[in-house]
Amino acid sequence: MSQVLMAHGGGGELTRQLLVERVLPRLANPLLNPLLDSAILERPSGRVCLTTDSFVVQPLFFPGGDIGRLAVCGTVNDLTCLGARPLGLSLALILEEGLELETLERVIDSLARTAEEAGVPIITGDTKVIERQRGDGILINTTGIGVLPEGLDLRPARINAGDLVILTGVPAEHGLAILSVREGLGFETALASDAAPLNGLAAPLLALPGLRFMRDPTRGGVAGVLADLVEETGLSVEIEERALPLSPIVRHASEMLGLDPLNVANEGKLVIVIAPADASTALARLRAHPLGRHAAIIGQIKPSTPPLAELITAIGGRRIIQRPMAEATPRIC
Amino acid sequence: MKATLDALQRDAEGLGELRLMEVCGTHTVALFRTGVRDLLPSNVRLISGPGCPVCVTSQGYIDAAIEAAASGEVTLCTYGDMLRVPGQRGSLEALKARGARVVVCYSIRDALKYAQAHPKEQVMFLAVGFETTTPASALAVLEAARLGLERFTILSGHKLVMPAIEALLADPQADLHGFLLPGHVSVILGASPYRPLVDEHGLACVIAGFEPQQLIDGVARLVAQIKAGAPALENVYRAAVRPDGNPHARAITQQVFVAEDTEWRAMGVIPNSGLALRDEYAHFDAFKRFSLSLGADYDPPGCLCGQVIQGRVQPPQCPHFGKGCTLTQPIGPCMVSSEGTCAAWFKYARRA
Ligand code: SF4
């Protein structure tokens, strides 16, 4: 038996075997091990945060990551953005009939490694099997629970004109890596997804009183977050193209595909808004972390009517930044 | 760069309004995205011409494609940009959501791969685009023949740049001073096909690439020619464009395609402006295989795309622009396509 069968989801002996042999040993931790119907956590002090995310990605494995790694990072990062300390994740696996068990094991291994990297245990879970469909193989949902430290209040309403905008690293790596393998574009060797849990990167910033807002620029890219900011604050934001930490390969791949790196997805970056007084401290702390080496101040919040996100281009022109319509796709010619 | 911009500023001074046309969707987008438009002297106006492959495609073609997908007979492979163009029966995107087999491809090679992997399906590729994409289509047809892909066809909507420019200039209303000529297309065509623009129409012409420096150089040379009263055909994209272009790519295109009279959106039928498959490759011709014919051309109700692609109307002059017509709810192809003029204005320049 090397593939997932419908019976693996039936709740009977096969289900138990699948879990006990393939899944649980890889995820073992004291909160999960009792295998009760629900995980039991000690009541934390502070407010509780809850977030959920579902993961559907093709291909399942790509340079720099896989669906398992994404499933941990996505949810951990959503908690991180509010300043919450993640306590644990639930893991719901929806497996397609016919999925190679070896593939499942690879995904769970990666998920476990990423959870360990983040220091966040998987504390409860569920597995179902669906009939063979498109051959996507595996869908994952994770829900994360976290605790907000007292006094921390990160939201757009606290942003003021004059605050600075930080991007924690090279944008567009995840989206370009996926596009590149999916379409066989030939950058596979040079491009890797940035998928990473960011709670460790963000932790040293939480003590800074000037920290206003953090968001991970996933599918809508950095442009999507900037558009959110403008809509949610009623202020304008001005980004300096020259200040963007672009790598040569991201530049080149975006150019070839006719894509704007600001519109392409990230899975291991934060857009941070911070008061000018704390910006250099924040930048130094970010750069001291391996995931923040290329962090840069990329722009500033401006008072303005109407509220706009604008880019000062490398040659000094101005143009608008908008949330991309849909997933970025390469141009025709 | 600063020096070029200063020189451009000086040259443009006192020349009155200079109307320069770019005829390549990639130029249109690059001019906005790099901020070059924002830095040009106020009397230099860049006008987008028929350079967006999706936008110039006649509505008859779009409707034929949608018909084919709706018939359930074929799996339709298409560039993503075509998906959302509205037709009489809704868009391909809407059909896809209702279960029609529509596959988004990044290139015709993807469609070929799909056809190989699904030998039982009739796979039809919507082959649109200018001289840059035709060699790839020609190669794909040759490859399909070699592989014996019985059920692969293309619906050729390929178009040629020069006949459209000539058609624009035939309009006595066309009031243009010069052309910023497309880098990618010229890589294939070379420079010589543009000669008549200078010799017969007395227009300034510069072939340019897509980097900010290229774009600024291109505009600066156009303005310098106009100021000197000496229209010429210049090439500032020498790194990529050779005088005779890419004869090999042209030969392959000619082996597979033959020029024919073709209908453009709102511009009518332009003589020898499109490419049809030669009889030897009729087997791969979706028009013939499925007895498709092109219906009437029309703009979606209230949409001025037909005027926009001819440079007669700028997007903000359209009453729907940014109101009824946005990136999320596009009315016409110029807003749908990522290279469309309305989309570029909306994305990069809509400040209100
Ligand atoms: S703004 Fe919309 S409706 Fe107006 S011309 Fe452009 S695409 Fe057509």
Side-chain angles (χ1 to χ4, degrees):
Chain A
M1 181 182 68
S2 66
Q3 290 174 325
V4 170
L5 310 174
M6 284 308 292
H8 277 123
E13 180 55 23
L14 269 182
T15 308
R16 198 193 65 84
Q17 262 185 27
L18 180 75
L19 292 178
V20 168
E21 289 172 13
R22 316 265 177 177
V23 180
L24 294 173
R26 300 181 150 80
L27 299 173
N29 66 69
L31 285 170
L32 179 66
N33 294 349
L35 288 183
L36 302 175
D37 287 318
S38 308
I40 302 174
L41 287 86
E42 290 305 318
R43 187 166 53 183
S45 72
R47 289 158 299 166
V48 172
C49 285
L50 188 70
T51 187
T52 190
D53 208 343
S54 301
F55 300 84
V56 183
V57 61
Q58 267 306 315
L60 293 177
F61 300 90
F62 45 84
D66 54 77
I67 189 168
R69 185 166 176 83
L70 281 185
V72 172
C73 297
T75 298
V76 165
N77 294 348
D78 282 349
L79 290 172
T80 299
C81 285
L82 286 188
R85 181 168 57 83
L87 298 175
L89 301 180
S90 75
L91 169 65
L93 296 169
I94 298 177
L95 310 178
E96 195 181 328
E97 178 190 14
L99 175 73
E100 296 293 332
L101 287 172
E102 196 207 319
T103 306
L104 174 65
E105 290 179 347
R106 276 176 68 197
V107 169
I108 303 294
D109 275 335
S110 163
L111 201 141
R113 266 196 309 273
T114 314
E116 186 164 331
E117 188 181 327
V120 184
I122 307 294
I123 57 176
T124 186
D126 178 55
T127 306
K128 292 286 184 310
V129 177
I130 52 172
E131 276 174 32
R132 184 187 281 275
Q133 320 227 327
R134 297 187 308 160
D136 283 359
I138 178 164
L139 312 175
I140 302 181
N141 171 277
T142 53
T143 292
I145 187 163
V147 55
L148 261 186
E150 288 305 340
L152 194 66
D153 180 21
L154 302 182
R155 58 200 162 88
R158 290 192 49 234
I159 295 175
N160 301 318
D163 287 350
L164 296 172
V165 181
I166 293 177
L167 176 63
T168 60
V170 180
E173 290 172 332
H174 176 72
L176 289 174
I178 295 268
L179 209 54
S180 164
V181 251
R182 191 151 67 195
E183 307 311 327
L185 296 172
F187 307 114
E188 292 91 327
T189 45
L191 269 171
S193 165
D194 59 346
L198 297 171
N199 49 334
L201 176 68
L205 305 189
L206 300 179
L208 298 173
L211 182 67
R212 312 273 197 226
F213 170 87
M214 300 192 281
R215 191 163 287 170
D216 52 339
T218 51
R219 273 172 306 176
V222 173
V225 173
L226 297 174
D228 292 349
L229 269 180
V230 167
E231 279 163 25
E232 292 167 24
T233 62
L235 296 167
S236 286
V237 53
E238 209 173 87
I239 301 299
E240 289 277 350
E241 188 171 25
R242 279 174 190 274
L244 292 173
L246 297 178
S247 66
I249 178 72
V250 161
R251 242 181 241 282
H252 177 67
S254 311
E255 183 82 13
M256 293 280 297
L257 297 168
L259 296 176
D260 183 342
L262 291 178
N263 289 351
V264 181
N266 308 273
E267 290 292 345
K269 299 289 155 19
L270 290 170
V271 172
I272 296 169
V273 181
I274 193 157
D278 283 332
S280 56
T281 316
L283 202 59
R285 289 183 188 174
L286 289 168
R287 286 182 176 165
H289 192 282
L291 294 172
R293 278 198 311 269
H294 302 291
I297 294 174
I298 61 167
Q300 190 166 36
I301 307 292
K302 301 267 174 180
S304 159
T305 42
L308 277 183
E310 281 193 291
L311 183 78
I312 312 293
T313 67
I315 57 168
R318 270 172 182 275
R319 59 111 163 142
I320 289 178
I321 301 173
Q322 283 203 9
R323 181 180 294 121
M325 213 335 270
E327 196 183 1
T329 53
R331 65 167 167 244
I332 293 185
C333 71
Chain B
M1 188 116 42
K2 178 86 172 57
T4 322
L5 277 170
D6 289 346
L8 169 59
Q9 197 63 251
R10 272 195 310 276
D11 281 350
E13 228 164 79
L15 287 183
E17 187 180 75
L18 299 179
R19 295 167 56 86
L20 309 176
M21 180 173 272
E22 88 270 354
V23 281
C24 161
T26 311
H27 264 164
T28 303
V29 173
L31 285 162
F32 274 107
R33 195 162 78 189
T34 55
V36 167
R37 281 185 75 103
D38 191 47
L39 296 174
L40 297 179
S42 54
N43 59 330
V44 173
R45 277 192 58 198
L46 280 170
I47 297 163
S48 306
C52 153
V54 172
C55 311
V56 300
T57 300
S58 77
Q59 197 62 38
Y61 178 98
I62 309 270
D63 282 333
I66 292 173
E67 242 4 91
S71 73
E73 247 185 290
V74 304
T75 301
L76 200 90
C77 289
T78 176
Y79 295 115
D81 264 6
M82 290 291 269
L83 264 193
R84 308 182 68 233
V85 181
Q88 249 156 3
R89 292 245 232 146
S91 64
L92 289 171
E93 187 179 48
L95 273 183
K96 183 172 193 275
R98 291 204 296 272
R101 287 197 309 275
V102 177
V103 178
V104 176
C105 297
Y106 294 99
S107 75
I108 193 169
R109 279 184 323 235
D110 294 352
L112 208 55
K113 268 191 244 155
Y114 183 93
Q116 266 181 288
H118 301 83
K120 294 214 176 71
E121 295 176 29
Q122 290 284 353
V123 176
M124 180 195 295
F125 180 72
L126 299 186
V128 298
F130 297 106
E131 282 87 340
T132 38
T133 46
T134 45
S137 289
L139 279 174
V141 167
L142 293 175
E143 182 71 359
R146 193 181 67 80
L147 294 168
L149 292 179
E150 289 291 319
R151 297 195 167 91
F152 179 77
T153 52
I154 69 170
L155 191 69
S156 175
H158 281 307
K159 297 198 165 43
L160 307 172
V161 169
M162 261 314 278
I165 296 183
E166 289 283 8
L168 276 186
L169 293 175
D171 175 1
Q173 308 271 297
D175 175 21
L176 296 170
H177 299 97
F179 279 94
L180 188 66
L181 294 164
H184 292 146
V185 166
S186 307
V187 168
I188 308 289
L189 281 186
S192 51
Y194 305 119
R195 268 270 139 233
L197 297 178
V198 180
D199 297 347
E200 287 161 32
H201 298 281
L203 293 167
C205 285
V206 178
I207 298 169
F210 303 91
E211 293 287 317
Q213 181 73 60
Q214 281 282 313
L215 297 167
I216 292 174
D217 283 351
V219 176
R221 291 309 309 151
L222 284 171
V223 172
Q225 287 182 23
I226 296 167
K227 182 186 165 89
L233 176 55
E234 281 184 72
N235 176 10
V236 296
Y237 199 31
R238 258 169 261 127
V241 177
R242 292 195 315 235
D244 67 338
N246 184 339
H248 177 64
R250 289 201 305 274
I252 286 175
T253 303
Q254 278 194 1
Q255 182 185 342
V256 175
F257 291 102
V258 59
E260 64 165 6
D261 301 353
T262 291
E263 180 157 47
W264 294 55
R265 176 176 297 274
M267 296 174 74
V269 174
I270 303 176
N272 286 320
S273 66
L275 294 176
L277 283 165
R278 287 184 184 276
D279 287 342
E280 298 95 290
Y281 302 97
H283 186 72
F284 299 101
D285 191 334
F287 285 111
K288 296 194 171 132
R289 169 101 48 104
F290 303 101
S291 314
L292 297 174
S293 55
L294 297 187
D297 179 52
Y298 58 93
D299 275 340
C303 168
L304 302 179
C305 269
Q307 305 300 308
V308 170
I309 61 170
Q310 298 177 71
R312 294 183 185 150
V313 160
Q314 304 267 285
Q317 290 170 266
C318 170
H320 298 302
F321 178 79
K323 301 190 180 80
C325 184
T326 62
L327 289 176
T328 33
Q329 295 287 335
I331 292 180
C334 301
M335 188 63 89
V336 171
S337 171
S338 60
E339 308 208 298
T341 308
C342 296
W345 278 79
F346 188 87
K347 270 189 226 165
Y348 300 121
R350 195 183 51 111
R351 293 200 152 71

